[in-house]
């Protein structure tokens, strides 16, 4: 690891511990040249599958597009930023762990709705109205009624896992 103070290419790890979210590792390092100490955070780099759109075109997965869509739905809602990041990370983890080279945009949209439903019902309906392309107010009320009568269960996650397990 390059030293941020003197740009020397070698440092040694003094201490390692899990970061706050548990998915990353925080390392305390010391430069072998200047002796300065600094911290790094490491995380596994998992490549999500390519996205197959409804018109059968394909594009690379864009984490910022995912995050932006969720933030738009959650705009002016009382949801903690850390909770949004956990939801995004849940989706990213499921995408990376699914074991596929590509996944449909529909499955990603369903995963976003799953996470939003757990975070905030208003944001869920906002996202669903765009995602499902509601055409009249009746479709809004149907979705709200479905939300009231169908509690979210942990087994509802729409992203596939390897071996067909979900």
């Amino acid at each position: 690891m390059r030293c941020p103070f003197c740009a020397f290419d070698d440092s040694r790890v003094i201490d390692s511990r899990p970061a706050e979210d548990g998915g990353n590792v925080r390392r305390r390092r010391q430069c072998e040249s200047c002796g300065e100490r600094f911290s790094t955070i490491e995380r596994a780099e998992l490549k999500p599958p390519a996205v197959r759109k409804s018109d059968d075109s394909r594009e690379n997965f864009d984490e910022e597009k995912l995050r932006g869509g969720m933030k738009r739905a959650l705009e002016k809602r009382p949801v903690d930023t850390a909770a949004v990041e956990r939801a995004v990370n849940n989706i990213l983890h499921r995408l990376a762990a699914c074991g596929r080279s590509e996944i449909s945009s529909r499955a990603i949209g369903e995963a976003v709705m799953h996470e939003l439903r757990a975070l905030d019902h208003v944001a869920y309906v906002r996202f669903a109205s765009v995602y499902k392309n509601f055409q009249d107010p009746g479709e809004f009320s149907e979705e709200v009624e479905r939300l009231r009568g169908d509690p979210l269960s942990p087994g509802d996650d729409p992203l596939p896992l390897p071996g067909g397990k979900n």
Side-chain angles (χ1 to χ4, degrees):
M1 174 63 66
R2 178 171 284 149
C3 175
F5 301 103
C6 71
F8 189 68
D9 281 335
D10 203 11
S11 63
R12 66 184 169 98
V13 175
I14 297 170
D15 182 41
S16 291
R17 64 185 65 185
E20 297 81 35
D21 66 1
N24 299 326
V25 177
R26 180 181 169 90
R27 298 198 193 282
R28 191 74 181 141
R29 297 177 174 271
Q30 185 170 14
C31 176
E32 294 289 329
S33 176
C34 69
E36 291 289 335
R37 292 182 176 195
F38 57 97
S39 295
T40 59
I41 295 181
E42 295 178 18
R43 69 179 173 129
E45 186 175 65
L46 302 172
K47 185 178 181 206
V51 178
R52 188 179 65 257
K53 313 262 306 178
S54 57
D55 64 359
D56 256 353
S57 65
R58 284 153 179 73
E59 65 181 43
N60 290 331
F61 178 80
D62 185 351
E63 181 178 337
E64 288 310 310
K65 192 173 177 181
L66 170 71
R67 184 175 282 107
M70 291 184 74
K71 284 184 176 181
R72 273 190 303 283
L74 287 159
E75 197 169 304
K76 297 185 181 181
R77 298 298 304 154
V79 177
D80 183 29
T81 304
V84 176
E85 284 305 309
R86 278 191 301 275
V88 168
N89 286 334
N90 286 343
I91 294 170
L92 293 174
H93 174 74
R94 300 287 295 185
L95 285 170
C98 76
R100 295 185 177 179
S101 60
E102 69 178 34
I103 194 157
S104 72
S105 58
R106 176 167 285 297
I108 295 170
E110 294 290 334
V112 170
M113 288 197 337
H114 177 80
E115 292 293 333
L116 286 174
R117 194 164 146 199
L119 286 175
D120 184 86
H121 289 168
V122 172
Y124 167 81
V125 173
R126 283 179 181 169
F127 187 87
S129 70
V130 174
Y131 177 73
K132 293 182 176 185
N133 196 20
F134 291 168
Q135 298 298 314
D136 64 66
E139 291 177 277
F140 274 99
S141 59
E142 287 173 16
E143 192 65 36
V144 170
E145 286 306 313
R146 192 172 12 262
L147 187 61
R148 284 186 182 142
D150 187 19
L152 181 66
S153 66
D156 286 344
D157 194 333
L159 290 176
L161 284 176
K165 298 175 193 156
N166 204 15

